[in-house]
Amino acid sequence: MEKAFELLIQDHRQVAQWIDQLTWSSTGRDDRVFSQLRDALEAHTAIEEEYVYPALQETSELKAAIRDAYSEHTMIKNILGELGKSSGMGADWDGQLKALKENIDHHVQEEERVIFAKAPQVLDRTALANINNHVVSEKQRMAA
């Protein structure tokens, strides 16, 4: 598997951990964890929308999956926005966090099982190398 996809999958696992931390917190929203989650999701979706999805959206095998992925990103961003406005306590927070988790879980499954799995089959080596170079360099830049 390309390094780019491995890095994006690592993001998925880290996001799941932060959501679990927020879900099981007995004191409500931990602003530090929520900020990490929000920042990571914003960066992750931006990378996918800038470098991964455009390369794949014209392939007949993945066109519908990419269209769905864009829609799922929009939904996730909207839920994050609502969570950011929330006090971080109570049923409203819990419900929104549950919705975020469910949307992300579904998105991750589709992305990893369909998009990331099929990308090497439908793209040529040049397109894959381009995605890989951009994603790796963006991830390195963000880590610095």
Side-chain angles (χ1 to χ4, degrees):
M1 178 173 282
E2 297 293 320
K3 179 75 172 168
F5 299 128
E6 291 172 7
L7 292 170
L8 294 170
I9 289 170
Q10 286 175 11
D11 287 351
H12 293 165
R13 301 305 175 264
Q14 181 61 62
V15 163
Q17 288 177 357
W18 283 323
I19 290 174
D20 285 347
Q21 283 180 301
L22 291 168
T23 300
W24 298 109
S25 173
S26 60
T27 59
R29 182 171 82 191
D30 178 329
D31 287 333
R32 181 187 55 79
V33 173
F34 181 73
S35 291
Q36 289 174 316
L37 171 67
R38 184 188 58 231
D39 294 348
L41 282 171
E42 288 172 355
H44 179 88
T45 58
I47 288 172
E48 288 179 340
E49 291 175 4
E50 179 80 19
Y51 304 112
V52 179
Y53 295 172
L56 294 166
Q57 69 187 3
E58 297 306 319
T59 64
S60 60
E61 298 90 343
L62 291 174
K63 190 173 199 151
I66 297 299
R67 186 179 55 245
D68 290 346
Y70 275 117
S71 295
E72 291 164 355
H73 276 189
T74 299
M75 187 172 301
I76 289 165
K77 291 173 192 175
N78 290 339
I79 296 168
L80 267 179
E82 291 302 313
L83 282 166
K85 296 175 196 171
S86 174
S87 68
M89 296 290 286
D92 191 41
W93 165 262
D94 293 342
Q96 290 171 336
L97 191 59
K98 182 179 179 186
L100 180 67
K101 180 178 178 14
E102 289 171 356
N103 278 276
I104 289 174
D105 287 349
H106 171 76
H107 177 75
V108 164
Q109 284 181 16
E110 290 294 311
E111 198 167 69
E112 291 180 10
R113 291 182 183 164
V114 177
I115 296 171
F116 294 173
K118 287 186 180 179
Q121 300 165 13
V122 300
L123 293 176
D124 62 32
R125 299 176 114 224
T126 303
L128 281 171
N130 190 37
I131 289 172
N132 196 61
N133 291 338
H134 284 295
V135 172
V136 170
S137 66
E138 282 295 311
K139 297 297 285 174
Q140 288 172 342
R141 184 185 62 76
M142 289 177 194

